[in-house]
């Protein structure tokens, strides 16, 4: 396969690279000739990824909630590469349930990983990127952060905050030659449900069903991210149905809200009938 010269030797740091979207993105950027720094809480997963890809991959175990781990990763990047061109803040978890059904402990868990893990990642690379006067940060959010849908309150709130933070960061670093993107996929078949927290089993079953029916794969999302690095773009909506949903919400917010309520009522009736 021909190597894309525009990515050759660029250093791409990816969190949550051991499975799902992170693994697909690592493989896509590796094919382009990039140097991959693959990070994951499960060190054995990124070790296996590095072994399968061969050269140009550095595997590091890290917890995105720990500042000391970020400091260690950046020290390794500085020593081994001297630069970082792309950061993909991909590591994340999910919780399902209404606001008052979700324990505070689950709220804190989601916020620590999905929001503050992203904030810490951005802070960790900005010094190096500013010194280079170049770089691209991709923060993995979700269409859940745009949809305002019920019964995913903690997860949706964290992802909405990631989008808002990314938008502000984009303005803050524009003069430094740094690009920022917010990735907002809908359902993609990944291992997200393995760690998902929900008080009722039907949430996990519903998510698995939607993942199976998705017409968009992790590789499709990885390609969208890759293209957004080559030709910078801020908001990445990877699923066709979410593009019209976002436009509908922006221009006709009350109509969108009523439509969403009808969908929630339909799902509730279906659940009651199945029971």
């Amino acid at each position: 396969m021909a190597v894309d010269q525009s990515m050759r030797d660029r250093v791409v740091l990816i969190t949550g690279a051991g499975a799902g979207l992170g693994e697909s993105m690592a493989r896509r950027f590796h094919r382009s000739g990039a140097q991959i720094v693959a990070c994951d809480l499960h060190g054995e997963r990124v070790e296996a990824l590095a072994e399968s890809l061969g050269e140009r991959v550095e595997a590091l175990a890290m917890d995105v909630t720990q500042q000391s781990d970020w400091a260690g990763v950046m020290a390794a990047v500085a020593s081994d590469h001297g630069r970082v061109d792309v950061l993909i803040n991909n590591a994340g978890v999910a919780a399902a349930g209404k606001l008052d059904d979700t324990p505070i402990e689950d709220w804190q868990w989601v916020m620590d990983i999905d929001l503050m893990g992203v904030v810490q990642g951005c802070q960790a690379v900005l010094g190096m990127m500013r010194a280079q006067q170049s770089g691209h940060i991709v923060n993995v959010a979700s269409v859940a952060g745009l949809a305002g849908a019920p019964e995913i309150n903690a997860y949706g709130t964290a992802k909405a905050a990631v989008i808002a933070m990314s938008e502000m960061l984009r303005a803050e670093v524009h003069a430094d030659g740094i690009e920022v993107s917010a990735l907002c996929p809908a359902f993609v078949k990944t291992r997200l449900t393995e760690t998902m927290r929900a008080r009722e089993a039907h949430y996990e079953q519903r998510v698995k069903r939607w993942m199976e029916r998705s017409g968009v794969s992790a590789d499709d999302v990885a390609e969208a991210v890759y293209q957004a690095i080559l030709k910078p773009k801020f908001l990445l909506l990877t699923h066709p149905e979410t593009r019209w949903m976002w436009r509908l919400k922006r221009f006709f917010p009350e109509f969108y809200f009523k439509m969403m309520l009808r969908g929630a009522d339909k799902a509730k009736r279906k659940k009651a009938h199945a029971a």
Side-chain angles (χ1 to χ4, degrees), residues 106-129:
D106 289 358
W107 271 90
Q108 192 66 59
W109 175 68
V110 170
M111 292 296 169
D112 284 347
I113 297 170
D114 289 6
L115 175 57
M116 295 311 300
V118 172
V119 170
Q120 291 196 70
C122 293
Q123 288 188 337
V125 302
L126 280 178
M128 188 175 286
M129 287 186 173

Side-chain angles (χ1 to χ4, degrees), residues 89-160:
N89 277 311
N90 169 71
V93 294
K98 297 178 181 178
L99 184 146
D100 52 343
D101 289 338
T102 305
I104 289 298
E105 294 78 12
D106 289 358
W107 271 90
Q108 192 66 59
W109 175 68
V110 170
M111 292 296 169
D112 284 347
I113 297 170
D114 289 6
L115 175 57
M116 295 311 300
V118 172
V119 170
Q120 291 196 70
C122 293
Q123 288 188 337
V125 302
L126 280 178
M128 188 175 286
M129 287 186 173
R130 281 194 169 109
Q132 298 165 184
Q133 286 288 288
S134 68
H136 199 132
I137 296 171
V138 179
N139 293 327
V140 179
S142 166
V143 74
L146 298 170
E151 300 190 22
I152 50 168
N153 210 306
Y155 181 71
T157 299
K159 294 302 188 179

